[in-house]
């Protein structure tokens, strides 16, 4: 035990917490109606800030604005301290108080996380210390001695990044529900610079719980690199079934699709299940929404003239 404690002392990382970070944590905490909730949100926010600052130093991008922990409604009913990493998933940043030998991971965040980082917040509230990392948990109170050193976190993220950027024949849609998205797929906001355009396009996903990603499709030299935008929206119907909607839009700056673009849905056995074709001055085309079972595969083809783009998906 003594050796373990000495190892974490040597490999942990202390950081000073500026007043601006404490003020922001207090701002979020004051949105909570009860003292216990306010304290929880305050320390969660400081832990997230600490991990975010460290990853920024390491030049690893984060998307703190998309975190569930920034949503006061979600904070009322769950204890989350997530930090989204684009294209990788969510890290859970768990605060630890002085003299604690365990850190708490509530059951609601035992899945849909790419790892857990423990952050000690000193009683002065002016210093935080990243104690280490663990890739997965199976209990609510996790001993600090189980933590791996920070360099293991960096290796873990690098491996995930390599897996995401490696060309893959199959796009796994259920992983999108955990914010694990293949390279080349983006949010509507990331692809379209105009907030108004993004809002109008996002309005297609009107149901609560819809996850939507888009990909810019280049039809190649034969068609002067004509571009189209493929929209795929999914929503979990239950533990096994997922509803899928597929649409095709012109890129930003263009109002209409080229005529005679075919959008085709093909089953795992090769049967054409649906097909739609763009007409003159179509703003977009879409397939009728369909339901697939976890593990089921299907193919989407985009055809214009002699050019065919094929995308393989798995529920």
């Amino acid at each position: 035990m003594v050796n373990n404690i000495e190892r974490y002392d040597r490999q942990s990382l202390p950081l000073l917490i500026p007043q601006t970070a404490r003020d922001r944590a207090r701002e979020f905490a004051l949105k909570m109606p009860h003292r216990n909730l306010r304290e929880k949100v305050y320390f969660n926010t400081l832990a997230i800030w600490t991990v975010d600052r460290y990853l920024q130093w390491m030049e690893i991008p984060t998307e703190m604005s998309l975190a569930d922990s920034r949503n006061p409604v979600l904070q009322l009913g769950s204890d989350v301290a997530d930090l989204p990493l684009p294209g990788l998933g969510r890290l859970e940043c768990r605060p630890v108080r002085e003299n604690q030998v365990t850190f708490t991971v509530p059951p609601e965040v035992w899945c849909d996380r790419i790892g857990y980082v423990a952050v000690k917040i000193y009683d002065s509230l002016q210093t935080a210390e990243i104690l280490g990392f663990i890739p997965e948990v199976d209990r609510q109170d996790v001993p600090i001695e189980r933590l791996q050193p920070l360099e293991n976190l960096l290796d873990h993220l690098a491996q995930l990044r390599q897996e995401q950027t490696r060309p893959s024949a199959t796009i796994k849609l259920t992983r999108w529900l955990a914010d694990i998205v293949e390279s080349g797929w983006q949010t509507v906001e990331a692809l379209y610079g105009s907030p108004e355009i993004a809002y109008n396009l996002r309005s297609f996903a009107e149901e609560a719980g819809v996850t939507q990603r888009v990909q810019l499709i280049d039809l190649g030299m034969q068609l002067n690199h004509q571009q189209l935008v493929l929209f795929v929206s999914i929503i979990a119907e239950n533990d096994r079934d997922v509803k899928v909607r597929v649409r095709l839009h012109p890129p930003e700056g263009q109002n209409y699709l080229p005529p005679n673009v075919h959008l085709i849905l093909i089953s795992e056995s090769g049967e054409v299940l649906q097909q739609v074709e763009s007409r003159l001055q179509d703003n977009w085309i879409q397939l009728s929404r369909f339901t697939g079972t976890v593990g089921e595969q299907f193919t989407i083809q985009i055809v214009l003239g002699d050019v065919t783009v094929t995308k393989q998906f798995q529920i």
Side-chain angles (χ1 to χ4, degrees):
M1 177 68 73
V2 173
N3 290 337
N4 282 335
I5 292 174
E6 290 176 351
R7 176 168 64 87
Y8 290 110
D9 285 345
R10 290 197 304 269
Q11 299 190 355
S12 60
L13 177 68
L15 298 104
L16 293 177
I17 304 174
Q19 185 64 49
T20 53
R22 297 198 297 273
D23 289 344
R24 194 62 184 273
R26 183 172 181 272
E27 176 187 337
F28 286 135
L30 288 176
K31 296 177 181 179
M32 298 296 106
H34 307 297
R35 179 177 178 179
N36 288 343
L37 279 175
R38 288 195 289 268
E39 182 174 313
K40 177 197 71 177
V41 169
Y42 184 85
F43 284 97
N44 284 353
T45 303
L46 290 182
I48 296 166
W49 176 90
T50 303
V51 178
D52 180 73
R53 176 57 59 91
Y54 170 69
L55 293 179
Q56 295 297 330
W57 285 347
M58 296 295 104
E59 299 183 347
I60 296 173
T62 62
E63 287 183 328
M64 193 186 295
S65 61
L66 301 180
D68 290 341
S69 52
R70 299 290 289 269
N71 186 327
V73 176
L74 291 177
Q75 288 281 27
L76 283 172
S78 59
D79 182 5
V80 293
D82 61 319
L83 178 62
L85 276 58
L88 297 181
R90 296 171 186 263
L91 276 176
E92 185 71 17
C93 311
R94 301 308 306 179
V96 180
R97 302 298 300 273
E98 278 194 56
N99 301 320
Q100 287 185 329
V101 295
T102 64
F103 63 99
T104 301
V105 182
E108 59 260 38
V109 297
W110 286 5
C111 59
D112 296 341
R113 294 293 187 265
I114 59 173
Y116 303 82
V117 182
V119 181
K120 180 187 290 186
I121 308 297
Y122 284 84
D123 292 343
S124 67
L125 304 179
Q126 296 183 7
T127 305
E129 187 173 359
I130 302 179
L131 299 178
F133 148 82
I134 190 169
E136 56 187 25
V137 298
D138 56 4
R139 65 183 72 181
Q140 188 160 341
D141 293 316
V142 182
I144 290 175
E145 64 182 35
R146 290 185 59 185
L147 291 169
Q148 300 176 17
L150 269 180
E151 55 260 34
N152 287 27
L153 170 63
L154 300 180
D155 291 341
H156 178 66
L157 297 180
Q159 182 178 355
L160 289 176
R161 181 74 66 187
Q162 186 177 18
E163 291 174 358
Q164 293 303 316
T165 57
R166 185 183 300 129
S168 174
T170 304
I171 299 149
K172 298 181 179 179
L173 293 178
T174 51
R175 298 180 71 185
W176 290 11
L177 300 174
D179 283 339
I180 303 173
V181 181
E182 292 83 359
S183 177
W185 291 89
Q186 320 176 52
T187 61
V188 177
E189 292 84 353
L191 181 61
Y192 289 89
S194 165
E196 182 179 355
I197 292 175
Y199 175 80
N200 291 334
L201 293 174
R202 207 173 50 241
S203 66
F204 281 96
E206 61 277 351
E207 294 179 73
V210 168
T211 297
Q212 181 174 251
R213 292 292 183 270
V214 299
Q215 186 176 64
L216 196 61
I217 304 295
D218 191 323
L219 297 178
M221 294 179 61
Q222 289 176 265
L223 295 174
N224 296 318
H225 292 287
Q226 169 73 49
Q227 292 184 323
L228 305 171
V229 183
L230 179 63
F231 281 63
V232 178
S233 302
I234 62 173
I235 181 170
E237 196 169 26
N238 50 52
D239 290 342
R240 289 183 51 79
D241 298 320
V242 174
K243 293 180 180 179
V244 183
R245 174 163 283 164
V246 180
R247 303 195 312 274
L248 207 57
H249 284 255
E252 185 176 7
Q254 298 182 24
N255 294 323
Y256 306 109
L257 289 168
N260 305 315
V261 176
H262 294 257
L263 182 62
I264 306 169
L265 170 64
I266 302 172
S267 72
E268 194 169 352
S269 63
E271 178 186 0
V272 174
L273 300 177
Q274 292 189 49
Q275 182 172 183
V276 292
E277 180 181 358
S278 63
R279 301 161 299 180
L280 191 66
Q281 295 188 335
D282 266 340
N283 301 106
W284 51 274
I285 57 176
Q286 75 175 11
L287 300 169
S288 298
R289 188 164 64 178
F290 57 95
T291 300
T293 302
V294 171
E296 185 178 353
Q297 298 191 24
F298 64 91
T299 299
I300 296 295
Q301 284 190 342
I302 301 165
V303 180
L304 180 57
D306 295 329
V307 175
T308 300
V309 176
T310 300
K311 298 289 181 181
Q312 304 282 348
F313 294 88
Q314 182 180 42
I315 302 296

